[in-house]
């Protein structure tokens, strides 16, 4: 049931046809008009019933069970609108679910959709739902993308109420960083909305439809960075208030009251985080100015990332334990285990304590214990006096030396402190991601679960020109002094090289922006990386640059690969 709901919105949003298409499009138009964005949506006049305007290409006649490229079997048509259709499908070669958008090769937007899909696929950023294939074949153009059955769209999350403060903070942080990275590569979204943003079961936020959504809908913008930044502001506004920041209702959310204008989230709903409220207003720009009265506007995702970095970090809520309602009333807790439960209202006799040891054996035992105590006290007193006399015979210099030696010993005996991991995200320096959905398995306390790399043909050392390495950035919650990292590995062999880098964020821009603080090479299934240069950091990258050869498994073929089963930091 969850998979059907997620899938339906996934494909529907990419095509623009959703249960609230007319409302959503009208809201988008109103919001764009309010902020004077020069965005052209040539589908605005289309309804949500799948009707086609005159002169539009007809959607291809396809059906469930039809195969594309003898590989992608169509399962269910979710959307059929404006000359293209969107399907839930199965990749029979890799045995996994995928989503497919299909339109005729002579469709007016076929070329732009194909180009946008290929550009998006080249980005390879795991924060985006990946484009897996983009093909023109048999008078059809189709785009194949990832299917995330374990993810929930933001519109579904908001149906239950506003997001928790920490969830809203994580959403705007991850989405802003992802869009900043996309714009650095010249890619824009232009259709960011609550149906295009997903939260996975591990708490990561992912964006679908980068460039492709806009191409399918024929949307363009003269100011793409500003358009996407305002969309992020609208997402944060909705996350904090459960309201859409325009007058029209959209995405299952009520709009703002008419003729009131844009009011801050903390004025819409009580208890809204003040810093996040201010951030949303800075992103919702109006004619180049900001609706916020205190800070300058954020008109690009990069500026939004900087503004988030200047905020005090919002910590996750502390886990709380609530005892079961009858926890204090169990017979075991009352010391009645194995006894019959007394009837309510019955008067119970006060238990009589056991009598003291009055027998001949008991008296002898008491005298023996007393004698032992007296002997122990006498021996202790004699040893204490002897020690004091010896201490008095020592010189003052010797006393000083003894004190110094004790101090050194206490430093050596200082115990290491485990550092709790709060969050993690895969770092992609070049090429595609490895297994971003599994990063949480490296610190879940279960050695049978793991995050894995792909299988590479060359090794053990990775080819920097092709891929400089693979790894994960860990969030320690606050700035910590890290002394070492102990890492459990799945595959032994010659050889695995692991390095640690201090990062300034969970989503660093490049490997060059980080500081290397330790490295080790091992042939076994464990590695301990000791920090060679003490540094205080909140984010640590665990980076693999060499991996042993291993046999094929259900995830990948034989080749050079590695997997992390357990990871712990100590300070």
């Amino acid at each position: 049931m969850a998979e059907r709901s997620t899938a339906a919105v996934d494909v529907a949003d990419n095509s623009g046809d959703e249960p609230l298409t007319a409302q959503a499009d009208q809201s988008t138009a109103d919001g764009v008009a309010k902020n004077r964005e020069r965005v052209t949506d040539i589908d605005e006049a289309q309804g949500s019933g799948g009707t086609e305007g005159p002169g539009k290409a007809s959607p291809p006649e396809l059906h469930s069970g039809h195969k594309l490229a003898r590989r992608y079997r169509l399962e269910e048509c979710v959307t059929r609108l404006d000359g293209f259709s969107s399907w839930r499908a199965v990749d029979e070669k890799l045995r996994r679910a995928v989503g497919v958008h299909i339109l005729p090769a002579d469709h007016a937007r076929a070329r732009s959709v194909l180009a946008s899909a290929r550009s998006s696929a080249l980005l390879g950023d795991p924060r985006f739902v990946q484009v897996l294939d983009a093909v023109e074949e048999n008078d059809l153009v189709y785009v194949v993308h990832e299917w995330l059955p374990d993810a929930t769209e933001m519109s579904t999350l908001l149906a239950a109420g506003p997001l928790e403060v920490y969830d809203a903070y994580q959403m705007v942080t991850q989405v802003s960083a992802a869009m900043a990275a996309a714009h650095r590569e010249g890619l824009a979204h232009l259709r960011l909305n609550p149906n295009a943003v997903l939260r996975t079961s591990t708490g990561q936020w992912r964006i679908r439809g980068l460039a492709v959504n806009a191409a399918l809908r024929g949307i363009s913008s003269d100011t793409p960075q500003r358009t996407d930044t305002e969309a992020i502001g609208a997402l944060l506004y909705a996350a904090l208030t459960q309201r859409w920041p325009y007058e029209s209702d959209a995405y299952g959310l009520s709009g703002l009251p008419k003729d009131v204008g844009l009011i801050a989230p903390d004025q819409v709903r009580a208890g809204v985080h003040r810093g996040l409220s201010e951030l949303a207003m800075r992103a919702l720009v109006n004619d180049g100015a900001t609706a916020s009265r205190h800070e300058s506007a954020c008109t690009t995702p990069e500026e939004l990332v900087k503004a988030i970095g200047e905020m005090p970090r919002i910590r996750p809520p502390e886990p709380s334990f609530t005892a079961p309602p009858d926890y204090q009333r169990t017979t075991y807790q009352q010391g009645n285990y194995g006894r019959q439960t007394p009837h309510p209202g019955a008067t119970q006799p006060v238990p009589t304590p056991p009598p003291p040891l009055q027998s001949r054996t008991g008296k002898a035992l008491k005298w023996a214990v007393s004698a032992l105590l007296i002997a122990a006290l006498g021996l202790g007193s004699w040893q204490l006096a002897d020690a004091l006399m010896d201490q008095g015979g020592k010189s003052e210099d010797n006393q000083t030396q003894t004190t110094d030696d004790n101090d050194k010993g206490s430093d050596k005996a200082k115990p290491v402190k485990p550092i709790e991991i709060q969050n993690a995200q895969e770092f992609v320096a070049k090429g595609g991601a490895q297994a971003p959905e599994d990063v949480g398995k490296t610190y879940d306390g279960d050695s049978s679960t793991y995050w894995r790399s792909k299988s590479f043909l060359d090794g053990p050392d990775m080819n920097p020109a092709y891929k400089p390495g693979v790894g994960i950035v860990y969030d320690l919650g606050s700035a910590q002094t890290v002394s070492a990292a102990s890492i459990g590995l799945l595959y032994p062999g010659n050889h695995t090289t692991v390095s640690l880098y201090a990062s300034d964020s969970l989503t660093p821009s490049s490997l060059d922006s980080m500081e290397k603080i330790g490295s080790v090479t091992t042939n076994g299934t464990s590695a301990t990386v000791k920090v060679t240069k003490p540094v205080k950091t909140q984010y640590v990258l665990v980076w693999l640059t060499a991996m042993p050869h291993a046999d094929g498994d259900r995830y990948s073929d034989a080749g050079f690969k590695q997997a992390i089963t357990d990871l712990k930091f100590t300070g």
Side-chain angles (χ1 to χ4, degrees):
M1 199 66 185
E3 178 178 350
R4 172 66 180 87
S5 174
T6 301
V9 179
D10 183 9
V11 182
D13 183 67
N14 282 339
S15 66
D17 185 23
E18 53 203 54
L20 296 173
T21 299
Q23 296 176 350
D25 289 345
Q26 185 60 44
S27 170
T28 303
D30 292 345
V32 168
K34 280 179 176 293
N35 295 282
R36 299 184 182 179
E37 289 285 0
R38 292 185 294 277
V39 177
T40 304
D41 186 350
I42 63 176
D43 288 339
E44 201 63 46
Q46 297 295 328
S48 61
T51 57
E52 301 170 14
K56 300 290 183 181
S58 300
E61 293 298 328
L62 302 169
H63 55 83
S64 297
H66 182 89
K67 287 186 183 179
L68 300 172
R70 298 182 179 180
R71 174 175 179 176
Y72 304 111
R73 186 181 73 247
L74 303 182
E75 293 286 307
E76 179 185 9
C77 181
V78 184
T79 301
R80 195 183 298 274
L81 175 71
D82 192 26
F84 63 87
S85 58
S86 298
W87 294 74
R88 176 173 60 84
V90 174
D91 181 349
E92 293 188 334
K93 183 175 182 180
L94 296 180
R95 297 182 181 179
R96 63 178 177 182
V98 293
V100 185
H101 306 302
I102 308 173
L103 64 165
D106 59 355
H107 193 285
R109 300 177 205 140
R111 303 273 74 77
S112 62
V113 168
L114 205 57
S116 298
R118 290 170 176 171
S119 298
S120 177
L122 289 175
L123 181 62
D125 192 315
R127 294 168 294 193
F128 295 93
V129 174
Q130 299 293 295
V131 170
L132 305 175
D133 210 350
V135 180
E136 180 177 358
E137 181 183 64
N138 297 331
D139 296 326
L140 292 176
V141 166
Y142 57 90
V143 176
V144 183
H145 60 84
E146 277 185 297
W147 192 274
L148 304 177
D150 67 330
T152 306
E153 61 275 6
M154 186 174 167
S155 56
T156 300
L157 296 173
L158 291 177
L163 300 185
E164 295 293 334
V165 174
Y166 180 72
D167 289 336
Y169 173 73
Q170 285 294 314
M171 183 278 296
V172 71
T173 299
Q174 295 181 32
V175 170
S176 299
M179 289 310 306
H183 278 282
R184 284 194 293 268
E185 299 299 324
L187 292 170
H189 196 291
L190 306 184
R191 283 279 292 171
L192 271 177
N193 57 53
N195 287 334
V197 179
L198 311 172
R199 187 176 68 183
T200 67
S201 57
T202 60
Q204 292 179 308
W205 293 87
R206 299 185 68 180
I207 304 169
R208 64 183 168 207
L210 178 66
V212 177
N213 278 17
L216 283 168
R217 298 282 296 176
I219 296 175
S220 63
S221 172
D222 295 334
T223 54
Q225 294 208 51
R226 178 175 163 180
T227 300
D228 283 343
T229 305
E230 182 173 356
I232 298 172
L235 289 172
L236 180 57
Y237 196 105
L240 297 172
T241 64
Q242 201 187 12
R243 300 289 291 268
W244 195 236
Y246 305 105
E247 290 185 355
S248 298
D249 300 344
Y251 312 109
L253 304 172
S254 300
L256 297 178
K258 297 185 182 299
D259 303 323
V260 173
L262 183 62
I263 54 179
D266 56 3
Q267 296 176 353
V268 175
R269 181 181 290 271
V272 170
H273 188 277
R274 184 71 178 270
L276 292 178
S277 175
E278 184 78 12
L279 187 68
M281 299 300 279
R282 293 179 66 181
L284 288 168
V285 294
N286 188 357
D287 286 342
T290 176
S292 168
R293 295 168 301 191
H294 306 292
E295 300 288 346
S296 59
C298 296
T299 57
T300 68
E302 200 74 59
E303 291 178 0
L304 202 52
V305 170
K306 183 179 179 181
I308 295 170
E310 293 170 350
M311 288 177 54
R313 185 179 181 278
I314 298 175
R315 296 180 179 275
E318 293 291 336
S320 58
F321 172 75
T322 304
D326 296 333
Y327 182 79
Q328 295 296 334
R329 297 198 295 271
T330 58
T331 56
Y332 180 80
Q333 292 295 324
Q334 297 297 328
N336 295 327
Y337 182 75
R339 301 179 185 176
Q340 184 177 1
T341 305
H343 296 287
T347 303
Q348 301 299 321
V350 177
T352 304
L357 296 173
Q358 297 295 339
S359 65
R360 184 177 300 175
T361 303
K363 291 180 179 180
L365 182 59
K366 286 195 294 183
W367 280 111
V369 172
S370 300
L372 287 173
L373 288 174
I374 292 171
L377 288 173
L379 180 61
S381 301
W382 176 79
Q383 289 179 337
L384 178 59
D386 186 58
L388 290 174
M389 290 175 67
D390 289 344
Q391 184 69 17
K394 292 182 180 179
S395 65
E396 186 175 343
D397 292 341
N398 288 339
Q399 293 179 27
T400 304
Q401 182 65 39
T402 302
T403 303
D404 292 341
D405 291 342
N406 289 339
D407 289 343
K408 292 178 181 177
S410 65
D411 289 341
K412 293 178 182 177
K414 186 177 181 181
V416 295
K417 180 186 70 171
I419 300 175
E420 185 177 353
I421 298 172
Q422 301 291 341
N423 197 4
Q425 186 161 311
E426 187 173 314
F427 173 65
V428 180
K430 192 173 184 179
Q434 305 302 297
E437 69 279 3
D438 292 332
V439 294
K441 297 177 180 178
T442 62
Y443 61 98
D444 61 358
D446 185 355
S447 58
S448 65
T449 61
Y450 50 85
W451 166 89
R452 66 199 179 280
S453 74
K454 306 290 187 185
S455 180
F456 297 92
L457 297 178
D458 299 326
D461 296 310
M462 301 190 71
N463 182 358
Y466 171 68
K467 200 169 190 66
V470 295
I472 302 171
V473 179
Y474 292 90
D475 181 359
L476 307 182
S478 61
Q480 306 274 355
T481 301
V482 180
S483 62
S486 59
I487 306 165
L489 303 170
L490 186 63
Y491 304 113
N494 186 27
H495 55 266
T496 301
T497 300
V498 188
S499 300
L500 300 183
Y501 287 81
S503 172
D504 57 358
S505 73
L506 190 62
T507 55
S509 57
S510 67
L511 198 63
D512 295 335
S513 67
M514 294 177 275
E515 179 182 3
K516 188 174 182 178
I517 57 177
S519 184
V520 73
T521 297
T522 180
N523 293 331
T525 56
S526 65
T528 299
V529 186
K530 295 183 179 180
V531 174
T532 56
K533 180 181 178 181
V535 63
K536 211 168 186 180
T537 180
Q538 179 177 337
Y539 306 97
V540 180
L541 168 65
V542 176
W543 192 236
L544 303 177
T545 54
M547 298 180 289
H549 192 277
D551 295 334
D553 52 32
R554 62 192 179 112
Y555 295 113
S556 59
D557 297 331
F560 293 91
K561 54 186 175 180
Q562 189 53 278
I564 298 176
T565 59
D566 298 286
L567 187 138
K568 296 178 182 178
F569 292 105
T570 53

